[in-house]
Amino acid sequence: MDVSRRGLMAAAGSAPVLMTVSEALAQGVTPRRGGTLQMMLTPEPPVLQIGVNQQGPTLAAAPKIFQGLITFSPTLEPQPQLAKSWTISPDGKEYIFKLEENVKWHDGRPFTADDAVFSITKFHVELSPRARAIFTLIETCEATDPHTLRIVLKQAFQPFLLMFDPTACAIVAKHLFDGQDYRTAPAVQQLIGTGPFKFTEWQRGNFIRMDRNENYWKPGQPYLDTIIYRIIPDSQSRRLALETGQVLLSQASDIEPFDIPQLRSRPNLTVDTKGWEYFSPLSWIELNHRVKPLDDARVRRAMSMAIDRNFIINRLWFGVGKPATGPVASTTRFYDANAKIAAFNVREANALLDAAGFPRKADGTRFSLKHIPLPYGEIWTRLSEYLRQAMRQIGITLELESTDAGSWARRVGNWEYETTINFVYQFGDPTLGVARTYVSSNIQRVTFTNTGGYSNPRVDALFEEARTTPAAADRARLFSDVQKILVDEVPQIWLTELSFPTIHDKKVHNVITTGLGPSKSFDDVFIAG
Amino acid sequence: MELSRLPGFLLRRGVKAALVILAIVVCNFFLIHAAPGDPASVIAGQSGAADERFLAQLRQQFGLDQPLYVQLWIYLKGVLTLDLGFSHRQQLPVWTLIAQRLPATLLLTGAAFVLAVTAGVTLGTLAARRVGSWADSIITVIALTFYATPLFWVGLMLVLFFSVWLEWLPSFGMNSVGVELYGIAAMLDVAQHLLLPALTLGLFYLAVYARLTRATMLEVADQDFVKTARAKGVPEGQVVRRHVLRNALLPVITFAGIQAGQLVGGSILVETVFAWPGIGRLAFDALLARDYAVLLGVFFCTSVMVVGFNLMTDLLYAVVDPRVEVEG
């Protein structure tokens, strides 16, 4: 353990804060106290207690109330939050976090390392499948003093720090949960965190209100008095609310992509598509390999080559997002720019299918596949309609069957589909968010596992080795190898690196400053001008 | 109506109503469970990561690991003691959730109902009294337009006009959030928010009542007893009110009874467009999330209301038309 490393980490951590302030100053705007920020939350989450619920809207709103040990910059460098500094032993097994000392829970009790130990070893391990998979690597997790947390791993695990963002492992109060059923504890309705905003009111179907935490541990912050999330179920009503200034900020899927061009042209609004680097959602056509001929790599490659991804980005998503080039998003660590799927080429795709033994029949088609559009809004239906056109060019008939979210999850989870659309978060590292879709040990009857049933021993071995290799350089080599195999075999047909627009009034400042976009704590957000 | 027969009537109808509601509850229960997917798979689908244990934990907590008949029995026992169960998804009792949302829906549908009945009957009467005049033509055209236009489109156009162009009225929500308002100011604030959704919801029914009133009044106006009244010198206003309108109202009441029941469940669209925090939205979200207990709870409440409104309609008949007798 070396001191210089600690110093470096702390310096790296404080830099972005300085940057945002200087950035604001450069625009001639100094942070201003006060004001109410009205935003929207879509769809309304059932519960806001992170851990008990892990849906997108919860992950967006709850980090105003709950915090993690650290958070991440747009390039996925760790930044301090409740941990002011940390050190990692050279063998990559021991992590020591120094925690902020003057932090109080919203109920006035002091925050200590015991809360962190409880959150990591009990709360999230019990509730969250993501945490469960990683935190089983922990050998010891203890509070060596009230403000020092020591974690020893059974084996080195390089992406470990990525698990300490508030969206992955929010720190909750031990005194409110210990010894109770975490899902039904009273604290799940009366949220108590350490964050810059306190939960005050939730009128279901109407709004969620949070008010400034006067005892917040960062002096002078937060700047806002109140944050209000309005619940507006209809996308056109949301757009109107933003246009008329009734709300000042939209995030995630609040605004349909086809409404973005008009909103871009409004002088008082800023459209920012950054801030999705940590999640890096990647969309793809999810193929069920148990359905013939989808088990044939040539067929999958041909289907992939028939898709014009630039068209999808430019004409459907109106420039938000990027064409996917492989299984790893370009914003995720260990992305290999040299491992790319074959380019858009309808003629070659047809030739490939001919060679694979699927000639066109008399009516011009080769075979047909059933397809379930993702039931998450109009844009996904449009995507599936485009894909039907694209597949028709190579003689494949896609039969669209619409469904709702409940049936979709059930059918994908039970492998009762031929093709559908899916998008999956990558969480910064291929071990955390990519491997799960391709390794054969994760073929489960549960959504977001390897539901397609792809299996390749070589891929399994590479992912496994990369998981346990401590050095980043070695992992990079292993991930490059696995990316080369995957872009050749195309187990799923990757479409786009999704991004979601954060659209806000120009008088709202410091909105996107981290790799978690609108999911950040908002303690430095202010309204001025 | 003879008052002495009323208690017996109410008792017989009450027993019938209870049986009907029980049958509805059982049917709803099986219908809902027949939909593919369950709350656990929905949550897993929305959580971005899941494993077998996660699903098993949720199903156990929701009671979904029990056989269906056991689940039905537990639910029926609950309903009989007026306990509508617990929403494990939202971690709140169903009664709490419904109680939070019911006032908003009753306010919206109540306002729309009053608007539709009063304005509709008034316009219909006006049109009938001046058959063939320009006033009649205008009213008929307006009624036909509202009758034929889809609800959501009317809603969007109203918002465009009043919220976006004129900036007079808010485009969504039930009240201003983030400002402290009390007393009259708070009521005015809600009224401002209420106007557009109530209009949207009420216009269709307004058209129906106007057309219905006009048609039946014209029919009644030709009948002998009206001619007799006129012949014996009853003033025209009184003829219209006491002889024509009163008789013409019976079909209107029938329709209003049906509408009152439908309004509660039928406002989902308007609640969605105007982000009105009512029970229709609650039911719709519960359906998408397969939140069985909430959905059954809302169905239960609405079916009780429909049965209640039917009973009230039957009683009203007797009040308006003494020839009608209450019968079990």
Side-chain angles (χ1 to χ4, degrees), chain A residues 415-456:
Chain A
W415 312 340
E416 290 162 4
Y417 68 99
E418 296 190 351
T419 69
T420 181
I421 301 289
N422 202 352
F423 71 87
V424 170
Y425 286 174
Q426 304 209 323
F427 304 121
D429 190 286
T431 295
L432 299 180
V434 179
R436 57 179 171 162
T437 312
Y438 310 102
V439 296
S440 60
S441 57
N442 200 31
I443 298 178
Q444 295 188 60
R445 286 187 182 269
V446 182
T447 38
F448 305 118
T449 61
N450 182 355
T451 40
Y454 171 71
S455 168
N456 179 339

mmCIF file of all heavy atoms in Angstrom, chain A residues 415-456:
data_model
loop_
_atom_site.group_PDB
_atom_site.id
_atom_site.type_symbol
_atom_site.label_atom_id
_atom_site.label_comp_id
_atom_site.label_asym_id
_atom_site.label_seq_id
_atom_site.Cartn_x
_atom_site.Cartn_y
_atom_site.Cartn_z
ATOM 1 N N TRP A 415 -37.515 -18.415 -22.311
ATOM 2 C CA TRP A 415 -36.994 -18.784 -23.630
ATOM 3 C C TRP A 415 -38.117 -19.022 -24.634
ATOM 4 O O TRP A 415 -37.939 -19.723 -25.618
ATOM 5 C CB TRP A 415 -36.116 -20.053 -23.557
ATOM 6 C CG TRP A 415 -35.090 -20.052 -22.467
ATOM 7 C CD1 TRP A 415 -34.588 -18.987 -21.807
ATOM 8 C CD2 TRP A 415 -34.416 -21.188 -21.919
ATOM 9 N NE1 TRP A 415 -33.650 -19.360 -20.888
ATOM 10 C CE2 TRP A 415 -33.532 -20.720 -20.924
ATOM 11 C CE3 TRP A 415 -34.477 -22.555 -22.174
ATOM 12 C CZ2 TRP A 415 -32.716 -21.571 -20.174
ATOM 13 C CZ3 TRP A 415 -33.666 -23.406 -21.434
ATOM 14 C CH2 TRP A 415 -32.805 -22.915 -20.447
ATOM 15 N N GLU A 416 -39.294 -18.457 -24.397
ATOM 16 C CA GLU A 416 -40.427 -18.665 -25.309
ATOM 17 C C GLU A 416 -40.484 -17.551 -26.340
ATOM 18 O O GLU A 416 -41.420 -16.744 -26.375
ATOM 19 C CB GLU A 416 -41.737 -18.695 -24.513
ATOM 20 C CG GLU A 416 -41.888 -19.937 -23.662
ATOM 21 C CD GLU A 416 -42.931 -19.757 -22.572
ATOM 22 O OE1 GLU A 416 -43.591 -18.706 -22.522
ATOM 23 O OE2 GLU A 416 -43.064 -20.682 -21.747
ATOM 24 N N TYR A 417 -39.439 -17.429 -27.152
ATOM 25 C CA TYR A 417 -39.407 -16.408 -28.191
ATOM 26 C C TYR A 417 -38.459 -16.889 -29.272
ATOM 27 O O TYR A 417 -37.658 -17.794 -29.054
ATOM 28 C CB TYR A 417 -38.925 -15.070 -27.610
ATOM 29 C CG TYR A 417 -37.479 -15.097 -27.184
ATOM 30 C CD1 TYR A 417 -36.483 -14.576 -28.011
ATOM 31 C CD2 TYR A 417 -37.099 -15.680 -25.978
ATOM 32 C CE1 TYR A 417 -35.147 -14.637 -27.639
ATOM 33 C CE2 TYR A 417 -35.767 -15.742 -25.612
ATOM 34 C CZ TYR A 417 -34.802 -15.224 -26.441
ATOM 35 O OH TYR A 417 -33.487 -15.301 -26.066
ATOM 36 N N GLU A 418 -38.578 -16.288 -30.453
ATOM 37 C CA GLU A 418 -37.613 -16.590 -31.510
ATOM 38 C C GLU A 418 -36.623 -15.448 -31.622
ATOM 39 O O GLU A 418 -35.426 -15.633 -31.475
ATOM 40 C CB GLU A 418 -38.346 -16.852 -32.828
ATOM 41 C CG GLU A 418 -39.225 -18.094 -32.720
ATOM 42 C CD GLU A 418 -39.793 -18.534 -34.049
ATOM 43 O OE1 GLU A 418 -39.661 -17.803 -35.051
ATOM 44 O OE2 GLU A 418 -40.398 -19.628 -34.084
ATOM 45 N N THR A 419 -37.140 -14.237 -31.857
ATOM 46 C CA THR A 419 -36.274 -13.059 -31.811
ATOM 47 C C THR A 419 -37.034 -11.956 -31.098
ATOM 48 O O THR A 419 -38.267 -11.895 -31.141
ATOM 49 C CB THR A 419 -35.904 -12.547 -33.226
ATOM 50 O OG1 THR A 419 -37.075 -12.004 -33.826
ATOM 51 C CG2 THR A 419 -35.341 -13.646 -34.107
ATOM 52 N N THR A 420 -36.315 -11.079 -30.434
ATOM 53 C CA THR A 420 -36.918 -9.903 -29.815
ATOM 54 C C THR A 420 -35.837 -8.836 -29.761
ATOM 55 O O THR A 420 -34.757 -9.004 -30.337
ATOM 56 C CB THR A 420 -37.489 -10.223 -28.420
ATOM 57 O OG1 THR A 420 -38.093 -9.042 -27.883
ATOM 58 C CG2 THR A 420 -36.426 -10.702 -27.455
ATOM 59 N N ILE A 421 -36.143 -7.721 -29.102
ATOM 60 C CA ILE A 421 -35.133 -6.685 -28.907
ATOM 61 C C ILE A 421 -34.840 -6.639 -27.408
ATOM 62 O O ILE A 421 -35.738 -6.821 -26.602
ATOM 63 C CB ILE A 421 -35.668 -5.303 -29.357
ATOM 64 C CG1 ILE A 421 -36.064 -5.324 -30.821
ATOM 65 C CG2 ILE A 421 -34.643 -4.213 -29.088
ATOM 66 C CD1 ILE A 421 -34.918 -5.412 -31.783
ATOM 67 N N ASN A 422 -33.588 -6.392 -27.087
ATOM 68 C CA ASN A 422 -33.255 -6.258 -25.677
ATOM 69 C C ASN A 422 -32.205 -5.170 -25.566
ATOM 70 O O ASN A 422 -31.496 -4.889 -26.523
ATOM 71 C CB ASN A 422 -32.697 -7.584 -25.142
ATOM 72 C CG ASN A 422 -32.825 -7.700 -23.629
ATOM 73 O OD1 ASN A 422 -33.186 -6.737 -22.958
ATOM 74 N ND2 ASN A 422 -32.513 -8.866 -23.096
ATOM 75 N N PHE A 423 -32.127 -4.517 -24.433
ATOM 76 C CA PHE A 423 -30.938 -3.710 -24.183
ATOM 77 C C PHE A 423 -30.497 -3.907 -22.751
ATOM 78 O O PHE A 423 -31.321 -4.082 -21.862
ATOM 79 C CB PHE A 423 -31.118 -2.234 -24.553
ATOM 80 C CG PHE A 423 -32.019 -1.427 -23.674
ATOM 81 C CD1 PHE A 423 -31.538 -0.812 -22.529
ATOM 82 C CD2 PHE A 423 -33.349 -1.258 -24.021
ATOM 83 C CE1 PHE A 423 -32.372 -0.036 -21.737
ATOM 84 C CE2 PHE A 423 -34.190 -0.487 -23.228
ATOM 85 C CZ PHE A 423 -33.699 0.124 -22.087
ATOM 86 N N VAL A 424 -29.186 -3.926 -22.570
ATOM 87 C CA VAL A 424 -28.632 -4.366 -21.300
ATOM 88 C C VAL A 424 -27.533 -3.398 -20.878
ATOM 89 O O VAL A 424 -26.738 -2.942 -21.695
ATOM 90 C CB VAL A 424 -28.089 -5.812 -21.452
ATOM 91 C CG1 VAL A 424 -27.291 -6.216 -20.239
ATOM 92 C CG2 VAL A 424 -29.245 -6.792 -21.661
ATOM 93 N N TYR A 425 -27.530 -3.056 -19.603
ATOM 94 C CA TYR A 425 -26.494 -2.178 -19.041
ATOM 95 C C TYR A 425 -25.178 -2.941 -18.916
ATOM 96 O O TYR A 425 -25.169 -4.123 -18.577
ATOM 97 C CB TYR A 425 -26.902 -1.700 -17.649
ATOM 98 C CG TYR A 425 -27.990 -0.655 -17.622
ATOM 99 C CD1 TYR A 425 -28.530 -0.237 -16.404
ATOM 100 C CD2 TYR A 425 -28.470 -0.063 -18.791
ATOM 101 C CE1 TYR A 425 -29.525 0.734 -16.354
ATOM 102 C CE2 TYR A 425 -29.464 0.901 -18.740
ATOM 103 C CZ TYR A 425 -29.986 1.299 -17.524
ATOM 104 O OH TYR A 425 -30.967 2.260 -17.462
ATOM 105 N N GLN A 426 -24.061 -2.224 -19.135
ATOM 106 C CA GLN A 426 -22.762 -2.887 -19.055
ATOM 107 C C GLN A 426 -22.018 -2.585 -17.759
ATOM 108 O O GLN A 426 -21.034 -3.242 -17.445
ATOM 109 C CB GLN A 426 -21.922 -2.508 -20.265
ATOM 110 C CG GLN A 426 -22.655 -2.848 -21.567
ATOM 111 C CD GLN A 426 -21.745 -3.156 -22.721
ATOM 112 O OE1 GLN A 426 -20.695 -2.558 -22.877
ATOM 113 N NE2 GLN A 426 -22.143 -4.105 -23.546
ATOM 114 N N PHE A 427 -22.415 -1.582 -17.015
ATOM 115 C CA PHE A 427 -21.844 -1.269 -15.703
ATOM 116 C C PHE A 427 -20.335 -1.075 -15.732
ATOM 117 O O PHE A 427 -19.636 -1.416 -14.777
ATOM 118 C CB PHE A 427 -22.217 -2.343 -14.675
ATOM 119 C CG PHE A 427 -23.693 -2.559 -14.534
ATOM 120 C CD1 PHE A 427 -24.248 -3.806 -14.768
ATOM 121 C CD2 PHE A 427 -24.543 -1.516 -14.180
ATOM 122 C CE1 PHE A 427 -25.621 -4.009 -14.644
ATOM 123 C CE2 PHE A 427 -25.906 -1.709 -14.059
ATOM 124 C CZ PHE A 427 -26.446 -2.960 -14.290
ATOM 125 N N GLY A 428 -19.809 -0.572 -16.852
ATOM 126 C CA GLY A 428 -18.415 -0.129 -16.877
ATOM 127 C C GLY A 428 -17.386 -1.173 -17.211
ATOM 128 O O GLY A 428 -16.277 -0.837 -17.619
ATOM 129 N N ASP A 429 -17.685 -2.451 -17.024
ATOM 130 C CA ASP A 429 -16.654 -3.477 -17.207
ATOM 131 C C ASP A 429 -17.296 -4.720 -17.837
ATOM 132 O O ASP A 429 -18.375 -5.130 -17.405
ATOM 133 C CB ASP A 429 -16.035 -3.827 -15.853
ATOM 134 C CG ASP A 429 -14.799 -4.689 -15.986
ATOM 135 O OD1 ASP A 429 -14.936 -5.903 -16.285
ATOM 136 O OD2 ASP A 429 -13.686 -4.154 -15.798
ATOM 137 N N PRO A 430 -16.621 -5.336 -18.806
ATOM 138 C CA PRO A 430 -17.227 -6.513 -19.452
ATOM 139 C C PRO A 430 -17.546 -7.645 -18.484
ATOM 140 O O PRO A 430 -18.532 -8.366 -18.673
ATOM 141 C CB PRO A 430 -16.158 -6.954 -20.455
ATOM 142 C CG PRO A 430 -15.342 -5.742 -20.717
ATOM 143 C CD PRO A 430 -15.345 -4.954 -19.441
ATOM 144 N N THR A 431 -16.755 -7.783 -17.420
ATOM 145 C CA THR A 431 -17.044 -8.837 -16.449
ATOM 146 C C THR A 431 -18.386 -8.579 -15.762
ATOM 147 O O THR A 431 -19.145 -9.502 -15.475
ATOM 148 C CB THR A 431 -15.923 -8.920 -15.405
ATOM 149 O OG1 THR A 431 -14.727 -9.330 -16.071
ATOM 150 C CG2 THR A 431 -16.259 -9.890 -14.292
ATOM 151 N N LEU A 432 -18.695 -7.297 -15.512
ATOM 152 C CA LEU A 432 -19.920 -6.977 -14.787
ATOM 153 C C LEU A 432 -21.151 -7.022 -15.682
ATOM 154 O O LEU A 432 -22.213 -7.463 -15.254
ATOM 155 C CB LEU A 432 -19.803 -5.579 -14.160
ATOM 156 C CG LEU A 432 -18.686 -5.387 -13.145
ATOM 157 C CD1 LEU A 432 -18.700 -3.959 -12.614
ATOM 158 C CD2 LEU A 432 -18.847 -6.364 -11.990
ATOM 159 N N GLY A 433 -21.028 -6.533 -16.924
ATOM 160 C CA GLY A 433 -22.252 -6.364 -17.703
ATOM 161 C C GLY A 433 -22.273 -7.014 -19.073
ATOM 162 O O GLY A 433 -23.293 -6.975 -19.752
ATOM 163 N N VAL A 434 -21.160 -7.608 -19.513
ATOM 164 C CA VAL A 434 -21.137 -8.203 -20.847
ATOM 165 C C VAL A 434 -21.148 -9.730 -20.781
ATOM 166 O O VAL A 434 -21.954 -10.379 -21.435
ATOM 167 C CB VAL A 434 -19.916 -7.700 -21.659
ATOM 168 C CG1 VAL A 434 -19.890 -8.352 -23.037
ATOM 169 C CG2 VAL A 434 -19.959 -6.181 -21.788
ATOM 170 N N ALA A 435 -20.255 -10.271 -19.933
ATOM 171 C CA ALA A 435 -20.078 -11.726 -19.881
ATOM 172 C C ALA A 435 -21.391 -12.459 -19.658
ATOM 173 O O ALA A 435 -21.640 -13.518 -20.243
ATOM 174 C CB ALA A 435 -19.090 -12.082 -18.771
ATOM 175 N N ARG A 436 -22.277 -11.871 -18.842
ATOM 176 C CA ARG A 436 -23.508 -12.575 -18.458
ATOM 177 C C ARG A 436 -24.366 -13.009 -19.643
ATOM 178 O O ARG A 436 -25.147 -13.951 -19.542
ATOM 179 C CB ARG A 436 -24.332 -11.684 -17.531
ATOM 180 C CG ARG A 436 -24.688 -10.326 -18.127
ATOM 181 C CD ARG A 436 -25.512 -9.551 -17.135
ATOM 182 N NE ARG A 436 -25.703 -8.159 -17.547
ATOM 183 C CZ ARG A 436 -26.643 -7.390 -17.040
ATOM 184 N NH1 ARG A 436 -27.452 -7.846 -16.123
ATOM 185 N NH2 ARG A 436 -26.761 -6.150 -17.435
ATOM 186 N N THR A 437 -24.234 -12.314 -20.781
ATOM 187 C CA THR A 437 -25.071 -12.650 -21.927
ATOM 188 C C THR A 437 -24.492 -13.797 -22.748
ATOM 189 O O THR A 437 -25.196 -14.408 -23.547
ATOM 190 C CB THR A 437 -25.229 -11.409 -22.825
ATOM 191 O OG1 THR A 437 -25.574 -10.302 -21.992
ATOM 192 C CG2 THR A 437 -26.321 -11.588 -23.855
ATOM 193 N N TYR A 438 -23.186 -14.096 -22.571
ATOM 194 C CA TYR A 438 -22.536 -15.041 -23.482
ATOM 195 C C TYR A 438 -21.969 -16.294 -22.823
ATOM 196 O O TYR A 438 -21.712 -17.267 -23.507
ATOM 197 C CB TYR A 438 -21.423 -14.313 -24.255
ATOM 198 C CG TYR A 438 -21.942 -13.034 -24.868
ATOM 199 C CD1 TYR A 438 -21.684 -11.801 -24.289
ATOM 200 C CD2 TYR A 438 -22.770 -13.090 -25.989
ATOM 201 C CE1 TYR A 438 -22.211 -10.635 -24.830
ATOM 202 C CE2 TYR A 438 -23.310 -11.931 -26.530
ATOM 203 C CZ TYR A 438 -23.025 -10.701 -25.940
ATOM 204 O OH TYR A 438 -23.572 -9.569 -26.463
ATOM 205 N N VAL A 439 -21.746 -16.272 -21.503
ATOM 206 C CA VAL A 439 -21.122 -17.457 -20.904
ATOM 207 C C VAL A 439 -22.175 -18.545 -20.677
ATOM 208 O O VAL A 439 -23.310 -18.266 -20.290
ATOM 209 C CB VAL A 439 -20.394 -17.120 -19.574
ATOM 210 C CG1 VAL A 439 -19.235 -16.177 -19.840
ATOM 211 C CG2 VAL A 439 -21.335 -16.539 -18.559
ATOM 212 N N SER A 440 -21.792 -19.788 -20.938
ATOM 213 C CA SER A 440 -22.779 -20.871 -20.880
ATOM 214 C C SER A 440 -23.183 -21.183 -19.443
ATOM 215 O O SER A 440 -24.251 -21.727 -19.201
ATOM 216 C CB SER A 440 -22.222 -22.122 -21.560
ATOM 217 O OG SER A 440 -21.044 -22.527 -20.910
ATOM 218 N N SER A 441 -22.327 -20.802 -18.459
ATOM 219 C CA SER A 441 -22.715 -21.065 -17.065
ATOM 220 C C SER A 441 -23.876 -20.183 -16.636
ATOM 221 O O SER A 441 -24.471 -20.389 -15.589
ATOM 222 C CB SER A 441 -21.517 -20.808 -16.146
ATOM 223 O OG SER A 441 -21.056 -19.485 -16.326
ATOM 224 N N ASN A 442 -24.209 -19.164 -17.437
ATOM 225 C CA ASN A 442 -25.280 -18.244 -17.062
ATOM 226 C C ASN A 442 -26.529 -18.454 -17.922
ATOM 227 O O ASN A 442 -27.359 -17.569 -18.047
ATOM 228 C CB ASN A 442 -24.781 -16.793 -17.190
ATOM 229 C CG ASN A 442 -25.632 -15.831 -16.378
ATOM 230 O OD1 ASN A 442 -26.183 -16.197 -15.334
ATOM 231 N ND2 ASN A 442 -25.767 -14.606 -16.849
ATOM 232 N N ILE A 443 -26.662 -19.660 -18.526
ATOM 233 C CA ILE A 443 -27.895 -19.951 -19.265
ATOM 234 C C ILE A 443 -28.974 -20.265 -18.236
ATOM 235 O O ILE A 443 -28.961 -21.310 -17.606
ATOM 236 C CB ILE A 443 -27.687 -21.135 -20.233
ATOM 237 C CG1 ILE A 443 -26.615 -20.781 -21.262
ATOM 238 C CG2 ILE A 443 -29.004 -21.492 -20.928
ATOM 239 C CD1 ILE A 443 -26.296 -21.893 -22.251
ATOM 240 N N GLN A 444 -29.872 -19.302 -18.025
ATOM 241 C CA GLN A 444 -30.884 -19.461 -16.978
ATOM 242 C C GLN A 444 -32.242 -19.054 -17.524
ATOM 243 O O GLN A 444 -32.334 -18.281 -18.475
ATOM 244 C CB GLN A 444 -30.575 -18.532 -15.803
ATOM 245 C CG GLN A 444 -29.309 -18.825 -15.048
ATOM 246 C CD GLN A 444 -29.262 -17.952 -13.802
ATOM 247 O OE1 GLN A 444 -30.126 -18.011 -12.928
ATOM 248 N NE2 GLN A 444 -28.255 -17.104 -13.717
ATOM 249 N N ARG A 445 -33.297 -19.522 -16.840
ATOM 250 C CA ARG A 445 -34.642 -19.092 -17.234
ATOM 251 C C ARG A 445 -35.008 -17.811 -16.489
ATOM 252 O O ARG A 445 -35.982 -17.754 -15.739
ATOM 253 C CB ARG A 445 -35.654 -20.185 -16.905
ATOM 254 C CG ARG A 445 -35.570 -21.367 -17.850
ATOM 255 C CD ARG A 445 -36.702 -22.346 -17.584
ATOM 256 N NE ARG A 445 -36.600 -23.501 -18.443
ATOM 257 C CZ ARG A 445 -37.185 -23.585 -19.646
ATOM 258 N NH1 ARG A 445 -37.881 -22.577 -20.113
ATOM 259 N NH2 ARG A 445 -37.050 -24.676 -20.373
ATOM 260 N N VAL A 446 -34.191 -16.776 -16.695
ATOM 261 C CA VAL A 446 -34.374 -15.495 -16.032
ATOM 262 C C VAL A 446 -33.939 -14.426 -17.028
ATOM 263 O O VAL A 446 -32.972 -14.636 -17.763
ATOM 264 C CB VAL A 446 -33.482 -15.381 -14.770
ATOM 265 C CG1 VAL A 446 -33.714 -14.051 -14.070
ATOM 266 C CG2 VAL A 446 -33.739 -16.529 -13.803
ATOM 267 N N THR A 447 -34.656 -13.290 -17.070
ATOM 268 C CA THR A 447 -34.264 -12.231 -17.993
ATOM 269 C C THR A 447 -32.875 -11.699 -17.652
ATOM 270 O O THR A 447 -32.457 -11.705 -16.497
ATOM 271 C CB THR A 447 -35.238 -11.041 -17.939
ATOM 272 O OG1 THR A 447 -35.619 -10.864 -16.595
ATOM 273 C CG2 THR A 447 -36.446 -11.277 -18.788
ATOM 274 N N PHE A 448 -32.177 -11.205 -18.676
ATOM 275 C CA PHE A 448 -30.843 -10.619 -18.547
ATOM 276 C C PHE A 448 -29.760 -11.626 -18.174
ATOM 277 O O PHE A 448 -28.705 -11.264 -17.693
ATOM 278 C CB PHE A 448 -30.819 -9.434 -17.576
ATOM 279 C CG PHE A 448 -31.805 -8.388 -17.949
ATOM 280 C CD1 PHE A 448 -32.850 -8.053 -17.098
ATOM 281 C CD2 PHE A 448 -31.728 -7.748 -19.175
ATOM 282 C CE1 PHE A 448 -33.779 -7.107 -17.463
ATOM 283 C CE2 PHE A 448 -32.656 -6.795 -19.543
ATOM 284 C CZ PHE A 448 -33.689 -6.477 -18.687
ATOM 285 N N THR A 449 -30.031 -12.907 -18.344
ATOM 286 C CA THR A 449 -28.970 -13.902 -18.275
ATOM 287 C C THR A 449 -28.669 -14.276 -19.727
ATOM 288 O O THR A 449 -29.072 -13.560 -20.640
ATOM 289 C CB THR A 449 -29.431 -15.136 -17.491
ATOM 290 O OG1 THR A 449 -30.555 -15.706 -18.170
ATOM 291 C CG2 THR A 449 -29.825 -14.766 -16.075
ATOM 292 N N ASN A 450 -27.998 -15.388 -19.951
ATOM 293 C CA ASN A 450 -27.761 -15.843 -21.313
ATOM 294 C C ASN A 450 -29.015 -16.573 -21.792
ATOM 295 O O ASN A 450 -29.028 -17.783 -21.975
ATOM 296 C CB ASN A 450 -26.524 -16.766 -21.332
ATOM 297 C CG ASN A 450 -26.164 -17.244 -22.720
ATOM 298 O OD1 ASN A 450 -26.873 -16.968 -23.679
ATOM 299 N ND2 ASN A 450 -25.054 -17.954 -22.821
ATOM 300 N N THR A 451 -30.088 -15.818 -21.997
ATOM 301 C CA THR A 451 -31.369 -16.430 -22.377
ATOM 302 C C THR A 451 -31.322 -16.999 -23.788
ATOM 303 O O THR A 451 -32.078 -17.898 -24.123
ATOM 304 C CB THR A 451 -32.521 -15.398 -22.295
ATOM 305 O OG1 THR A 451 -32.038 -14.149 -22.787
ATOM 306 C CG2 THR A 451 -32.999 -15.227 -20.878
ATOM 307 N N GLY A 452 -30.426 -16.460 -24.629
ATOM 308 C CA GLY A 452 -30.321 -16.948 -26.005
ATOM 309 C C GLY A 452 -29.770 -18.360 -26.073
ATOM 310 O O GLY A 452 -30.026 -19.090 -27.023
ATOM 311 N N GLY A 453 -28.988 -18.762 -25.061
ATOM 312 C CA GLY A 453 -28.455 -20.113 -25.021
ATOM 313 C C GLY A 453 -27.180 -20.294 -25.838
ATOM 314 O O GLY A 453 -26.822 -21.425 -26.185
ATOM 315 N N TYR A 454 -26.462 -19.202 -26.113
ATOM 316 C CA TYR A 454 -25.194 -19.299 -26.845
ATOM 317 C C TYR A 454 -24.158 -19.992 -25.967
ATOM 318 O O TYR A 454 -24.094 -19.736 -24.760
ATOM 319 C CB TYR A 454 -24.707 -17.896 -27.216
ATOM 320 C CG TYR A 454 -23.315 -17.839 -27.787
ATOM 321 C CD1 TYR A 454 -23.036 -18.323 -29.061
ATOM 322 C CD2 TYR A 454 -22.274 -17.287 -27.051
ATOM 323 C CE1 TYR A 454 -21.763 -18.251 -29.587
ATOM 324 C CE2 TYR A 454 -20.993 -17.206 -27.567
ATOM 325 C CZ TYR A 454 -20.746 -17.698 -28.843
ATOM 326 O OH TYR A 454 -19.478 -17.625 -29.355
ATOM 327 N N SER A 455 -23.363 -20.848 -26.592
ATOM 328 C CA SER A 455 -22.373 -21.568 -25.789
ATOM 329 C C SER A 455 -21.119 -21.807 -26.625
ATOM 330 O O SER A 455 -21.185 -22.352 -27.732
ATOM 331 C CB SER A 455 -22.985 -22.898 -25.336
ATOM 332 O OG SER A 455 -21.965 -23.711 -24.810
ATOM 333 N N ASN A 456 -19.979 -21.372 -26.101
ATOM 334 C CA ASN A 456 -18.703 -21.564 -26.774
ATOM 335 C C ASN A 456 -17.637 -21.699 -25.684
ATOM 336 O O ASN A 456 -17.370 -20.732 -24.972
ATOM 337 C CB ASN A 456 -18.413 -20.365 -27.689
ATOM 338 C CG ASN A 456 -17.072 -20.495 -28.395
ATOM 339 O OD1 ASN A 456 -16.188 -21.236 -27.969
ATOM 340 N ND2 ASN A 456 -16.915 -19.751 -29.477
#
